[in-house]
């Protein structure tokens, strides 16, 4: 079943079975492998040097690049006149960062994909928005770091945005209370990176009695530091609901190397790939696809990247596929969780980086 990326972006975002995903994604990913091999010489040499399959017969055979290559090499498949934006990953001082080159087509696809995913939980209307961060992160727009780009991307789904933290990362209680007085009786959007939301917002709400029951919280990243503090996803959700009445809470997994292809949490607490993306869990010893229920390294697939060879990336994160097509929440495909960083992987991720900086 051959479908274009345009058709996939118009399809139900979480409605595909795994068999349907194999049939629709594989031709698109094979076409991207050929496109990038033809227009990105380093990628072509990597395929040749590793003997990778250029025409995969299943999703698990699509050749992948280690995510670290985007830190050491500039991988681009379009000419300089077509470069629209350069995005960088988060990194502490001295760490290399990924540089992701976007053309207009890739940026447009990313935006449309993100809209399809987020409207699944937010609905079609732009909601009043409380940003669980400080405005200082978006003041320099000439080159987007991942955290600022993530906030700006989510702000397209909100309106009348209010920043919950001041420049010193202190909770701006008057601003939050004024926001809730104006918008707290109807659905509103909240967005923040997970560790920062926990450390600078949730923990400082204690005993203030704020009612966030109409809120929809979307958050991502930073689980390594929270796991160090024995806070898992269930604890995070339970604490928020008990303190504030907030119950619509959606974690997502994503990265600057594949913006737009985010994996959004369902009501069952598992992450699900959208129609235009998928995950493979790989055994770190054999690099074969790991069976359901077996932890391994996460590989992410996306039909969106046209300007750089990022359609198949081996991450530095560990995960588990818990079921395939169990369809407990109306979502098909793989239900998975992220369980941590691969051994010896660099610290990365917007709020992991902030947590590291704050602790040193």
């Amino acid at each position: 079943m051959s479908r274009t990326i345009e058709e996939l972006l118009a399809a139900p975002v979480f409605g595909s079975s795994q068999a349907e995903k194999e049939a629709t994604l594989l031709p698109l990913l094979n076409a991207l492998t050929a496109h990038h091999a033809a227009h990105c010489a380093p990628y072509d040499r990597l395929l040749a040097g590793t003997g990778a399959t250029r025409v995969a017969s299943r999703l698990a055979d699509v050749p992948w690049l280690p995510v670290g290559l985007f830190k050491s090499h500039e991988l681009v498949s379009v000419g300089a006149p077509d470069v629209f934006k350069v995005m960088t990953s988060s990194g502490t001082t001295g760490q290399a960062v990924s540089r992701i080159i976007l053309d207009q087509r890739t940026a447009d696809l990313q935006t449309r994909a993100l809209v399809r995913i987020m409207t699944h939980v937010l609905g079609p209307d732009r909601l009043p928005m409380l940003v669980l961060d400080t405005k200082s992160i978006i003041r320099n727009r000439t080159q987007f770091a991942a955290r600022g780009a993530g906030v700006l991307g989510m702000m397209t789904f909100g309106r009348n945005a209010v920043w919950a933290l001041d420049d010193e990362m202190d909770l701006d209680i008057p601003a939050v209370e004024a926001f809730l007085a104006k918008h707290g009786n109807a659905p509103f959007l909240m967005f923040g990176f997970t560790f920062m939301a926990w450390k600078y917002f949730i923990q400082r709400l204690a005993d203030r009695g704020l009612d966030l029951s109409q809120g929809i919280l979307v958050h991502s990243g930073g689980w390594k530091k929270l796991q160090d503090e024995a806070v898992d996803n269930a604890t995070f959700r339970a604490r928020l609901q008990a303190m504030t009445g907030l119950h619509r809470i959606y974690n997502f997994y994503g990265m600057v190397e594949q913006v737009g292809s985010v994996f959004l949490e369902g009501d069952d607490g598992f992450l699900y790939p959208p129609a235009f993306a998928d995950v493979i869990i790989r055994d770190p010893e054999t690099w074969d696809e790991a069976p359901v229920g077996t932890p391994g390294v996460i590989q992410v697939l996306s039909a969106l990247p046209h300007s750089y060879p990022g359609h198949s990336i081996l991450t530095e994160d560990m995960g588990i596929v818990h079921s395939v097509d169990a369809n407990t929440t109306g979502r098909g495909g793989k239900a998975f969780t992220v369980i941590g960083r691969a051994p010896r992987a660099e610290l990365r991720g917007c709020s992991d980086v902030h947590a590291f900086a704050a602790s040193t």
Side-chain angles (χ1 to χ4, degrees):
M1 178 169 50
S2 178
R3 301 179 76 174
T4 65
I5 183 60
E6 308 293 337
E7 290 171 329
L8 273 188
L9 286 172
V13 69
F14 293 111
S16 303
S17 69
Q18 192 58 35
E20 290 169 337
K21 188 162 288 186
E22 283 275 350
T24 55
L25 268 184
L26 188 60
L28 294 175
L29 295 174
N30 278 334
L32 284 171
T33 299
H35 164 75
H36 294 306
H39 295 92
C40 177
Y43 179 70
D44 187 53
R45 288 196 295 271
L46 280 166
L47 293 183
T50 58
T53 301
R54 293 178 184 244
V55 182
S57 57
R58 57 184 189 135
L59 292 180
D61 292 335
V62 175
W64 43 262
L65 294 182
V67 69
L69 281 183
F70 291 94
K71 298 175 182 174
S72 57
H73 295 72
E74 184 162 284
L75 299 171
V76 56
S77 304
V78 294
D82 293 323
V83 173
F84 170 69
K85 183 188 296 183
V86 178
M87 299 186 69
T88 60
S89 60
S90 300
T92 59
T93 302
Q95 278 187 327
V97 296
S98 294
R99 283 173 49 83
I100 305 302
I101 313 297
L102 302 183
D103 63 352
Q104 184 71 60
R105 171 175 168 74
T106 303
D108 288 346
L109 289 174
Q110 290 177 341
T111 299
R112 291 166 58 195
L114 200 57
V115 167
R116 294 285 293 132
I117 294 168
M118 290 304 165
T119 54
H120 187 79
V121 294
L122 299 177
D125 298 326
R126 297 179 70 180
L127 301 176
M129 183 175 186
L130 186 62
V131 183
L132 310 185
D133 213 315
T134 169
K135 193 174 185 179
S136 63
I137 62 166
I138 63 167
R139 289 194 176 125
N140 181 2
R141 298 194 180 195
T142 57
Q143 189 175 68
F144 291 106
R147 186 171 141 212
V151 170
L152 281 174
M154 285 302 300
M155 288 180 73
T156 61
F157 302 102
R159 59 180 171 85
N160 306 120
V162 169
W163 298 80
L165 307 180
D166 63 22
D167 287 353
E168 304 304 317
M169 302 299 291
D170 291 325
L171 184 60
D172 189 341
I173 285 293
V176 173
E177 290 180 336
F179 176 89
L180 292 175
K182 187 173 183 179
H183 302 294
N185 292 321
F188 61 90
L189 168 63
M190 304 165 68
F191 173 73
F193 290 98
T194 306
F195 174 78
M196 303 181 68
W198 177 263
K199 181 178 178 64
Y200 298 106
F201 184 74
I202 298 169
Q203 290 192 318
R204 295 179 185 179
L205 288 179
D207 302 324
R208 293 188 182 273
L210 295 182
D211 179 3
L212 303 179
S213 59
Q214 292 295 317
I216 304 171
L217 173 61
V218 177
H219 68 102
S220 180
W223 285 107
K224 180 182 184 303
K225 188 65 177 176
L226 283 183
Q227 287 167 350
D228 292 345
E229 297 183 11
V231 178
D232 59 13
N233 191 30
T235 303
F236 183 93
R237 295 170 67 96
R239 185 77 61 85
L240 257 181
Q241 184 161 5
M243 290 172 53
T244 67
L246 180 66
H247 59 279
R248 287 174 285 185
I249 304 169
Y250 300 96
N251 178 34
F252 72 82
Y253 175 63
M255 60 198 68
V256 71
E257 292 84 1
Q258 276 192 0
V259 169
S261 296
V262 301
F263 304 87
L264 187 66
E265 186 177 28
D267 292 334
D268 55 5
F270 294 123
L271 301 166
Y272 289 86
F276 34 83
D278 204 6
V279 293
I280 307 288
I281 303 297
R282 293 200 173 276
D283 183 314
E285 298 294 331
T286 66
W287 298 114
D288 292 335
E289 185 173 13
V292 171
T294 303
V297 182
I298 299 173
Q299 175 189 351
V300 288
L301 303 170
S302 170
L304 304 180
H306 173 267
S307 56
Y308 66 100
H311 59 302
S312 176
I313 295 174
L314 187 73
T315 74
E316 295 172 345
D317 298 318
M318 301 289 288
I320 300 175
V321 170
H322 296 271
S323 65
V324 180
D325 292 335
N327 206 20
T328 57
T329 60
R331 299 189 185 191
K334 297 173 180 173
F336 74 103
T337 54
V338 179
I339 58 175
R341 304 284 291 142
R344 297 186 299 278
E346 274 189 312
L347 187 68
R348 55 167 286 162
C350 300
S351 44
D352 272 342
V353 168
H354 181 87
F356 174 79
S359 65
T360 56

